Amino acid sequence: MSSIRGDNLPNARDARYVKFSWNSASDVPSIGELDYVPRTQAFRMFAEGRFTGQRLIAFPAQKRREALHALGCCAYCGRANDQHGFALPLTSEHVIAEALGCGLELPQASCFDCQRVTSEFERSVTEEMFDPVRRSLNLVGKQGVLQKKNFALDVGAETSEFVMISDIHHPTLLTLPGLYPPSACSYRPMNTNGIFNILTYNINCRRQDLDKYEITRFSTQIIDTARFCQMIAKIAHVACMGVHGRGAFKPLVADFIRTSLPPKTPSSAHFNFVGRLWQEKSEESSNLHEVEIGEISWKRATFISARVRLFASHGMPSYHVIVGE
């Protein structure tokens, strides 16, 4: 039986790390098809806020180098000067990681300390979740198209067990977590862990390639839900800072973004401001990625928010982030 696995915990949905294991390759969706796993019979729908989009930033498949107006302070800690009053060296921040084929930058927007944290979780997520996808889709990163020729495939179930497979035969599946609504704009309790399901898009997983390596079962890439939420929050936050400007709102996710979460560190707050609004329908798109700046209304409050949709052209869902107030 195929199932979600995570951290060897009794309830895998409460784990920081999750993956989906197939015991039969025949259960994998066909090439070019999107599916979700597992298929549950019950779904608890939380009352949730409503997102209103105001400005769409589209990221086409063909990478373009563009820049927003320079921010002039660190987007995360807010500093422009050090403790002695001297101007801090500030670097540009990519709205979406360049490794995912994106060239839009926010200049003068990150200090060294905060960049060290954001660079680490972006590197971790893009490598562990998306390296085979980047290669298969020929996404152009900082050093061009990824030159790796072999990728690890997890053939374990309860625990991970990896084998190396050439990029020609690697069963590449684009994998993203299906999330509940953010706790900050729904009746889902704060500091509640867990995902709803996992979405998979089959890029090139073929039964004959698995047979060639005598693989009868395998798993999706491992999803670090805490760092994944940090990356989604960072995309939304940087985009909102670039559009609204310095001091336009009180940030709500900046501290979460700049908090170092080393591997295996327990985390339960990453779904407080990041999630998926299920009433919002995802339409077909030709854009590789999308970020839409807007607002979320919940009860009597209105929040500065953003909708982040990675791999929109492959039918993947939008995530919604409560960025500020």
Side-chain angles (χ1 to χ4, degrees), residues 3-34:
S3 61
I4 287 182
R5 311 286 187 182
D7 293 2
N8 295 319
L9 298 178
N11 185 358
R13 292 169 188 258
D14 291 335
R16 171 175 167 175
Y17 300 90
V18 295
K19 65 180 181 179
F20 187 83
S21 298
W22 282 282
N23 289 336
S24 172
S26 61
D27 295 332
V28 177
S30 301
I31 291 178
E33 289 188 359
L34 175 68

Side-chain angles (χ1 to χ4, degrees), residues 160-318:
S160 292
E161 178 184 346
F162 296 99
V163 296
M164 299 301 294
I165 297 181
S166 70
D167 62 330
I168 298 175
H169 300 120
H170 188 277
T172 303
L173 292 149
L174 173 57
T175 304
L176 289 176
L179 305 183
Y180 291 101
S183 298
C185 65
S186 74
Y187 281 122
R188 192 179 192 217
M190 297 291 279
N191 300 315
T192 301
N193 209 339
I195 67 171
F196 175 62
N197 59 16
I198 294 176
L199 295 99
T200 58
Y201 178 92
N202 187 347
I203 295 178
N204 63 4
C205 177
R206 302 176 180 86
R207 179 65 181 270
Q208 59 267 34
D209 292 334
L210 297 174
D211 291 342
K212 178 181 178 67
Y213 289 86
E214 298 182 344
I215 294 172
T216 57
R217 73 179 184 190
F218 69 101
S219 300
T220 65
Q221 292 93 332
I222 296 172
I223 302 171
D224 181 342
T225 58
R227 284 185 166 180
F228 179 79
C229 286
Q230 280 187 303
M231 187 179 78
I232 297 297
K234 178 255 181 187
I235 293 169
H237 178 73
V238 171
C240 286
M241 291 291 283
V243 170
H244 290 292
R246 179 178 177 180
F249 59 87
K250 177 184 176 182
L252 294 177
V253 293
D255 286 343
F256 166 62
I257 295 168
R258 66 192 189 98
T259 297
S260 178
L261 295 175
K264 300 183 180 180
T265 301
S267 175
S268 61
H270 47 283
F271 295 123
N272 287 347
F273 298 98
V274 180
R276 178 182 177 189
L277 298 182
W278 287 80
Q279 301 296 334
E280 301 288 330
K281 303 302 179 184
S282 297
E283 299 180 356
E284 290 187 10
S285 175
S286 60
N287 299 315
L288 177 62
H289 311 299
E290 295 176 350
V291 179
E292 188 173 18
I293 311 303
E295 296 178 337
I296 289 180
S297 300
W298 171 243
K299 295 183 177 180
R300 297 182 179 180
T302 300
F303 300 100
I304 300 296
S305 305
R307 175 180 67 86
V308 178
R309 192 180 184 191
L310 301 180
F311 302 100
S313 55
H314 291 75
M316 286 298 177
S318 295

Side-chain angles (χ1 to χ4, degrees), residues 92-156:
S92 292
E93 277 288 81
H94 280 83
V95 176
I96 297 179
E98 190 172 11
L100 296 182
C102 301
L104 179 62
E105 297 181 60
L106 179 61
Q108 300 178 31
S110 183
C111 70
F112 173 78
D113 291 337
C114 292
Q115 187 190 49
R116 183 172 52 188
V117 176
T118 59
S119 296
E120 173 55 24
F121 67 66
E122 281 190 328
R123 179 207 59 78
S124 172
V125 173
T126 54
E127 288 184 6
E128 294 168 12
M129 286 183 62
F130 300 127
D131 257 7
V133 173
R134 291 166 58 201
R135 174 68 177 176
S136 294
L137 300 182
N138 293 315
L139 299 185
V140 179
K142 188 174 183 178
Q143 305 298 328
V145 176
L146 190 66
Q147 295 302 308
K148 280 187 180 179
K149 296 296 184 181
N150 297 282
F151 296 96
L153 179 66
D154 188 352
V155 295

